[in-house]
Amino acid sequence: MNRLSKVIVGVLIILMVLYYIPLPYYITEPGTVEPLEPLVKVEQGYDEEGSFSLVTVYMSKANVYGLVRAGLSDDVRTFKQEEILSPNETDEEYNLEQLRNMDSAKNGAIITAYQKAGKPVNINYKGIYVMAVVPDYPADGKLRVGDLIEQVDGEVLDQQDEFLNLLAEKKVGDSVKFAIERNQKEMEVSLELKLLPSNKPGIGISPMQDLDLSTDPKIEIDSEEIGGPSAGLMFSLEIYNQLTEADLTKGYKIAGTGTIDEAGKVGAIGGIEQKVVAASDADSKIFFAPVDGDNYQDAVKKAEKIKTKMIIVPVETFDDAVEYLNQMD
């Protein structure tokens, strides 16, 4: 091998190392715009001429090239690993949490849409999922992400508020017995309560409500491998549109973002500037942005910067979005 060949091989090796070397950073950038009608199937639901779409942000582990790209583009952002993952949380646990968040978003969307449409929806509360475990707190090493807490000191849980209230009524140092389901096996774990940063007794977990819904008409939602809670508002609009005869889309491409709870309140999300870019690139006519936090202001600033013709609409509740669509020409 001559000298030039050795130099070329050396450069290639360095480039490969720079590509594959793990770095404690993540990068995010504009993702996809996914029409919801193919994903949401209400039995004998009404068709629509336009579309409601969720918008994603693409996130990946950063390499050297990703960091360079982030430095050169306003639409690519860099985050330290600790800004994305909880202490000791793995990528697999994070992805599981995001899929659980999507399940919660779909449930909130179904409940809101069916209630607003005057259709029956029955809620069966099953327990509390463990979505994250805080290091150096009682649950650390005893509970795992994905565990389902079914009882606290023998009391069957119906709703998340009951779980939090049960713990709040106890004292720091109290021993509490938790009945849980893990990998389809029942087990019990006793934990001693510790004072949380909120000045309330707790065990150091991030809880999420688990529930089953039965509806009339029936509904199926295939969210594929999309995770996170931010599609709640758009799912609720798509479901409602299939439940009611009037077509809210009026033939337009409508995108947006925002969490939604069972009362129809829209909450803030992350990455809204990147979602504005993705929605604009997909020729969306309207983009719903939560009033909560700085989401709406950030969306407007980004829309002005990229000079999009897309209309940014502020929403605080599901009703705000429906009211806007009803008055739209």
Side-chain angles (χ1 to χ4, degrees):
M1 183 181 294
N2 59 38
R3 184 176 181 181
L4 178 60
S5 298
K6 291 179 180 179
V7 170
I8 293 174
V9 170
V11 169
L12 290 175
I13 291 173
I14 292 172
L15 292 175
M16 290 180 64
V17 170
L18 291 175
Y19 184 84
Y20 288 106
I21 187 172
L23 297 175
Y25 295 94
Y26 288 83
I27 60 171
T28 63
E29 55 193 299
T32 60
V33 176
E34 304 286 343
L36 291 174
E37 188 174 22
L39 306 181
V40 176
K41 298 298 180 184
V42 173
E43 190 175 50
Q44 297 181 337
Y46 294 97
D47 295 328
E48 58 195 28
E49 293 184 12
S51 62
F52 288 112
S53 296
L54 64 81
V55 187
T56 69
V57 171
Y58 179 69
M59 183 173 70
S60 60
K61 290 289 285 287
N63 55 26
V64 172
Y65 303 111
L67 294 181
V68 171
R69 193 155 54 88
L72 298 175
S73 173
D74 290 337
D75 298 331
V76 183
R77 295 188 60 192
T78 304
F79 294 89
K80 295 179 181 178
Q81 182 169 297
E82 55 265 31
E83 294 179 281
I84 301 297
L85 303 180
S86 301
N88 299 326
E89 184 180 29
T90 66
D91 286 325
E92 290 75 15
E93 289 172 335
Y94 175 82
N95 291 333
L96 174 61
E97 180 180 355
Q98 294 307 301
L99 291 175
R100 294 292 188 194
N101 283 333
M102 172 58 83
D103 288 340
S104 178
K106 291 187 293 188
N107 286 334
I110 292 170
I111 293 169
T112 295
Y114 272 74
Q115 289 179 342
K116 295 296 183 180
K119 304 293 184 181
V121 53
N122 296 314
I123 307 172
N124 175 32
Y125 294 98
K126 298 172 60 180
I128 307 298
Y129 270 116
V130 177
M131 298 308 302
V133 178
V134 181
D136 302 323
Y137 277 83
D140 189 15
K142 300 292 184 65
L143 296 180
R144 301 177 185 173
V145 172
D147 284 350
L148 179 66
I149 302 175
E150 300 172 321
Q151 297 181 28
V152 175
D153 278 344
E155 295 191 45
V156 178
L157 297 174
D158 284 331
Q159 299 187 41
Q160 184 167 312
D161 286 346
E162 292 185 4
F163 170 74
L164 298 175
N165 291 336
L166 279 171
L167 295 186
E169 292 171 357
K170 299 182 181 296
K171 298 178 181 179
V172 172
D174 285 350
S175 181
V176 180
K177 185 180 293 184
F178 298 86
I180 68 172
E181 178 187 299
R182 177 184 296 165
N183 298 327
Q184 299 182 337
K185 294 182 179 179
E186 303 291 334
M187 57 189 302
E188 290 187 348
V189 176
S190 293
L191 300 173
E192 189 175 292
L193 300 185
K194 184 176 179 178
L195 187 66
L196 301 175
S198 61
N199 289 323
K200 295 180 180 180
I203 57 175
I205 66 168
S206 176
M208 176 178 288
Q209 181 74 62
D210 181 40
L211 50 83
D212 279 335
L213 302 177
S214 58
T215 63
D216 185 16
K218 295 180 180 180
I219 182 173
E220 293 183 3
I221 300 179
D222 179 12
S223 56
E224 300 173 327
E225 292 300 313
I226 302 171
S230 64
L233 170 63
M234 300 312 295
F235 268 118
S236 67
L237 291 171
E238 176 63 40
I239 297 165
Y240 181 83
N241 207 40
Q242 292 189 29
L243 287 170
T244 53
E245 187 171 0
D247 182 7
L248 289 175
T249 71
K250 299 180 181 178
Y252 293 118
K253 290 183 177 181
I254 303 167
T257 189
T259 66
I260 198 159
D261 63 18
E262 296 176 16
K265 180 175 172 57
V266 178
I269 55 84
I272 195 162
E273 298 96 334
Q274 294 165 318
K275 292 184 178 183
V276 167
V277 173
S280 177
D281 288 345
D283 297 324
S284 300
K285 170 72 173 180
I286 294 164
F287 184 91
F288 286 121
V291 173
D292 192 23
D294 296 325
N295 273 182
Y296 174 65
Q297 291 87 342
D298 291 341
V300 170
K301 290 177 183 177
K302 190 64 177 181
E304 292 174 348
K305 187 171 184 178
I306 64 175
K307 296 180 172 58
T308 180
K309 295 181 180 179
M310 184 174 65
I311 302 170
I312 309 297
V313 179
V315 288
E316 187 173 2
T317 65
F318 171 86
D319 290 338
D320 291 342
V322 172
E323 182 179 350
Y324 180 87
L325 295 170
N326 279 330
Q327 59 84 36
M328 185 175 61
D329 294 331

